[in-house]
Amino acid sequence: MSQNRGNARRFVRQGGRGGGGCGRRGKDGEAADDATGPLLDKNNPIIQCFRQYALELDAKHDRYERIVKCSRDITIESKRIIFLLHTIDPRKNNEAKVCEEAKNRLEALFRNQFFGIAKELQGKDAYQYARAYTNGMQEFIEAYTFYQYSSGQDISDWQAIQRRLSYDQLPDPTRAESSLPSDQNECEPAHECKNDEQGTAMVCLQPLDFVLGLGDLSGEVMRKCINTLGSGQVDSCFIHCRFLQDLYRGFVSVSSARSREFSHKMSTLRQSLLKSEKVCYNVTVRGSEAAKWGSSEDGFASFLHHQSSKDTEAAGGDDDEGVFF
Amino acid sequence: MQNTVVKNIFDNFNEYLSKEQELRTEIRDIVRDIDQAAKEAAIALQIIHSSIADVPGACVTARKHFDTCRAGYGKLAELIPDGQYYRFNDHWHFLTQRIVFLIALTVYLEKGFLVNRETAAEVLGLCVEQKDGFHLDIEDYLMGVLQLASELSRYAVNSVTLGDYEKPLTISKFVADLNSGFRLLNLKNDSLRKRFDALKYDVKKIEEIVYDISLRGLRGGETATAAAEVKQEPN
């Protein structure tokens, strides 16, 4: 018995030495054979198999970690792009410039980080690693749709984004940056389902991720709604609010998403919606200037003051509310 | 304009969800059938804890049920689109682990060695490599093997009760090999690692049985003399 255990321990130590010790292990096994008899021969297959399994598991874990890293980069860059898009200010008239820059940075994400993930996923089951990049993907969807929203385009659906995430061929990473112009992404939809074929790689965009990303977008639109109020653009408040209402209607229409995250997103969306609806309400009732004070807590006192002073001149006050519309 | 765009997106999404729902329902039906067959195999194999003579018969019965499982997996393989194994595999991975365990137990009872992944996959009619199609996931296989260790520790206890004093020795050897095999793996902090942490208790339990037997000189003829020799050596 004690001999058996000794052998087991020897194998353990060899395992620690790594793959290089493979040839030597066989020798040790034979040498030990003399002492314990033919029993040991049977053990070799187990160890050999497990060496194989170890390689496979390691490869899988490494790939997962690499994808997580890409996903983090995507998250960071997406957050920055969103921040950039919030700097759009009609008073500075910088919309075109900011949108252009955001567009370029989004393109760079498609070219670099997502391309990196696509390369890792080539010939693999994308769903196996979906958890590794779901966060980055949601953040990216948020940035991308927010860019489209801010620049006045229609929000694209996930099929359109999925097409852009499919890469026809995989050239060297060194050539990747120059050889993937945007028009090349207009590949026919047939490529979508053939992801595991040689030469086509894609990052799988799960519709759920897309919708969750849209949920995040609501928060940004709400911020934009409040910001535009600050800059005195009252009409766009109502436009943003309308968009949030549409979005909320969409979320309500979803019957069963099988996801806890989804219901969580929905309650956040509802809060954003209520906030921007209140803004619109305030604008309507009090006129845009008053609403600006009312939307922040510490401005409330001065708003009251303003309100009371307005009441005193109520007779002439009717037309000054209309001015701001 | 955004109004219709958003509406389209969500209409699409709902359509997608309902399609997925349908597919999942079909998968669940098949999985239930496989589960039933696996349960029957498990019931048949329980006999090993109460009767040594019935072990070969139990293995034959279990193998018959594995054939049913294979048919079920064949149906699943047809149903799951290419490259979406991991999208749906939450429906069957516990089940697969249990079946791998049952196969490993059967093979151990018949031949006394650990079934490798290729053979286990073959019994279920699955592929080994992911790229070949519907396959046996390596983590499912390893989980099944870990379950085997727990069952064998119970089997060791009962085989002593039934008067077979040799069995715990071979089981101990086998589980020790398994243990060293698992130590070759670099496990992440996931469910497999957690399950592996429990393996040492099985090893300990079996070693204690071997200890009890050796202490009382209950080991069979040859090994008993070998043990006596070992005991004499230090003198």
Side-chain angles (χ1 to χ4, degrees):
Chain A
M1 181 52 223
S2 63
Q3 279 172 338
N4 286 348
R5 274 161 67 187
N7 284 334
R9 210 174 294 139
R10 190 173 304 156
F11 279 121
V12 173
R13 244 185 288 126
Q14 279 156 2
R17 244 185 262 148
C22 208
R24 274 171 63 192
R25 188 205 47 75
K27 240 195 206 161
D28 284 358
E30 275 169 41
D33 243 356
D34 303 334
T36 36
L39 259 180
L40 197 70
D41 246 357
K42 282 191 205 154
N43 303 331
N44 288 344
I46 293 190
I47 302 297
Q48 241 137 36
C49 285
F50 271 80
R51 240 174 246 290
Q52 202 57 45
Y53 304 150
L55 289 179
E56 198 171 321
L57 278 180
D58 284 350
K60 196 167 128 186
H61 293 160
D62 290 350
R63 188 181 301 278
Y64 190 90
E65 292 306 325
R66 285 196 298 271
I67 294 177
V68 167
K69 209 165 154 239
C70 283
S71 161
R72 290 232 175 92
D73 292 343
I74 292 172
T75 308
I76 295 169
E77 179 64 6
S78 300
K79 279 192 199 295
R80 288 191 182 142
I81 293 172
I82 290 168
F83 186 77
L84 174 76
L85 286 167
H86 272 301
T87 61
I88 292 178
D89 190 336
R91 286 172 297 194
K92 293 187 202 136
N93 211 2
N94 58 354
E95 186 178 333
K97 199 171 135 258
V98 169
C99 283
E100 185 61 30
E101 193 191 335
K103 182 164 182 263
N104 289 337
R105 286 166 74 168
L106 286 166
E107 291 294 333
L109 277 182
F110 274 124
R111 267 199 318 270
N112 302 328
Q113 273 83 3
F114 276 112
F115 185 68
I117 293 183
K119 231 167 22 179
E120 292 290 349
L121 290 178
Q122 189 178 26
K124 297 280 180 297
D125 187 339
Y127 292 94
Q128 184 175 12
Y129 300 97
R131 278 233 314 269
Y133 62 84
T134 174
N135 289 328
M137 181 63 93
Q138 285 180 30
E139 206 66 39
F140 171 76
I141 296 294
E142 181 182 351
Y144 191 77
T145 48
F146 189 47
Y147 154 72
Q148 288 181 321
Y149 182 80
S150 308
S151 61
Q153 306 173 25
D154 284 347
I155 308 279
S156 40
D157 56 2
W158 75 80
Q159 284 92 341
I161 299 180
Q162 178 70 82
R163 271 198 290 283
R164 304 216 43 195
L165 288 171
S166 312
Y167 299 91
D168 257 353
Q169 70 245 25
L170 289 175
D172 291 88
T174 45
R175 289 193 299 131
E177 284 173 33
S178 54
S179 65
L180 270 176
S182 53
D183 57 349
Q184 202 180 338
N185 293 311
E186 304 286 319
C187 56
E188 55 267 63
H191 279 288
E192 274 182 78
C193 42
K194 293 195 282 183
N195 62 319
D196 50 358
E197 273 190 19
Q198 282 289 314
T200 308
M202 67 172 212
V203 185
C204 183
L205 166 60
Q206 286 183 282
L208 181 63
D209 277 348
F210 180 81
V211 170
L212 291 177
L214 274 188
D216 291 333
L217 171 67
S218 70
E220 305 308 326
V221 174
M222 182 269 290
R223 268 174 73 183
K224 211 173 158 65
C225 180
I226 307 264
N227 285 346
T228 48
L229 184 67
S231 62
Q233 278 189 299
V234 183
D235 321 0
S236 51
C237 276
F238 291 95
I239 296 170
H240 296 318
C241 185
R242 178 64 48 82
F243 176 72
L244 284 180
Q245 283 171 341
D246 292 339
L247 207 55
Y248 186 70
R249 190 183 309 134
F251 265 74
V252 169
S253 77
V254 173
S255 43
S256 58
R258 283 175 34 100
S259 160
R260 202 177 302 130
E261 228 180 323
F262 184 82
S263 47
H264 183 74
K265 280 272 144 76
M266 195 157 153
S267 65
T268 321
L269 168 56
R270 194 181 160 82
Q271 279 169 358
S272 302
L273 175 68
L274 292 179
K275 234 178 247 181
S276 59
E277 279 177 345
K278 192 136 183 273
V279 165
C280 292
Y281 164 81
N282 280 336
V283 168
T284 316
V285 175
R286 288 157 192 166
S288 69
E289 206 166 338
K292 189 165 77 185
W293 297 329
S295 63
S296 69
E297 288 298 324
D298 25 52
F300 191 64
S302 57
F303 159 71
L304 279 182
H305 180 72
H306 174 83
Q307 187 76 344
S308 57
S309 68
K310 213 162 48 168
D311 285 344
T312 56
E313 43 173 335
D318 282 343
D319 49 344
D320 83 15
E321 278 197 16
V323 170
F324 298 98
F325 284 94
Chain B
M1 203 60 249
Q2 294 288 8
N3 180 12
T4 53
V5 172
V6 171
K7 190 171 179 307
N8 279 339
I9 288 174
F10 280 95
D11 286 349
N12 259 338
F13 184 58
N14 275 323
E15 200 181 309
Y16 162 87
L17 279 183
S18 64
K19 249 187 227 149
E20 183 178 275
Q21 201 68 34
E22 252 169 59
L23 189 52
R24 283 187 191 274
T25 315
E26 278 181 65
I27 292 172
R28 255 197 295 272
D29 285 346
I30 298 173
V31 165
R32 200 181 303 132
D33 292 345
I34 304 177
D35 192 50
Q36 189 56 38
K39 206 167 274 171
E40 309 239 336
I43 293 168
L45 286 170
Q46 283 303 307
I47 198 83
I48 64 168
H49 295 294
S50 50
S51 159
I52 292 176
D54 288 331
V55 169
C59 291
V60 172
T61 321
R63 285 207 175 255
K64 232 176 273 161
H65 292 302
F66 296 152
D67 288 340
T68 318
C69 293
R70 178 167 54 225
Y73 276 107
K75 270 190 245 165
L76 270 186
E78 275 170 39
L79 204 57
I80 307 298
D82 267 357
Q84 303 197 358
Y85 178 91
Y86 288 97
R87 180 171 164 194
F88 299 107
N89 90 329
D90 52 328
H91 286 288
W92 62 77
H93 75 258
F94 284 120
L95 171 71
T96 307
Q97 288 165 15
R98 200 142 38 80
I99 297 177
V100 167
F101 151 63
L102 293 170
I103 293 172
L105 181 62
T106 310
V107 170
Y108 180 78
L109 292 170
E110 286 170 347
K111 307 262 171 57
F113 58 76
L114 175 70
V115 66
N116 61 18
R117 187 173 164 217
E118 283 79 11
T119 318
E122 210 181 295
V123 173
L124 296 177
L126 304 175
C127 309
V128 177
E129 291 300 322
Q130 191 177 320
K131 59 176 180 293
D132 297 337
F134 202 83
H135 66 284
L136 175 59
D137 188 57
I138 182 155
E139 289 181 15
D140 287 346
Y141 166 75
L142 293 173
M143 283 293 238
V145 171
L146 285 170
Q147 292 180 29
L148 173 66
S150 310
E151 187 69 7
L152 286 182
S153 73
R154 186 180 159 216
Y155 183 45
V157 171
N158 289 323
S159 57
V160 170
T161 313
L162 295 172
D164 185 346
Y165 298 120
E166 280 304 300
K167 198 109 305 140
L169 301 180
T170 51
I171 290 177
S172 169
K173 181 88 184 61
F174 178 76
V175 174
D177 286 343
L178 269 189
N179 194 17
S180 41
F182 270 98
R183 276 168 198 282
L184 293 176
L185 310 176
N186 303 316
L187 296 173
K188 265 202 322 183
N189 197 8
D190 57 3
S191 57
L192 188 59
R193 227 289 308 282
K194 278 184 199 123
R195 188 62 189 78
F196 165 66
D197 287 343
L199 179 62
K200 58 175 181 274
Y201 299 109
D202 299 325
V203 173
K204 181 166 173 267
K205 199 167 161 193
I206 298 170
E207 281 176 355
E208 276 170 2
I209 297 164
V210 172
Y211 168 77
D212 283 341
I213 295 170
S214 311
L215 192 68
R216 293 168 178 77
L218 292 173
R219 302 167 75 169
E222 270 178 71
T223 21
T225 51
E229 277 167 29
V230 172
K231 235 179 265 169
Q232 277 161 10
E233 260 173 43
N235 293 340

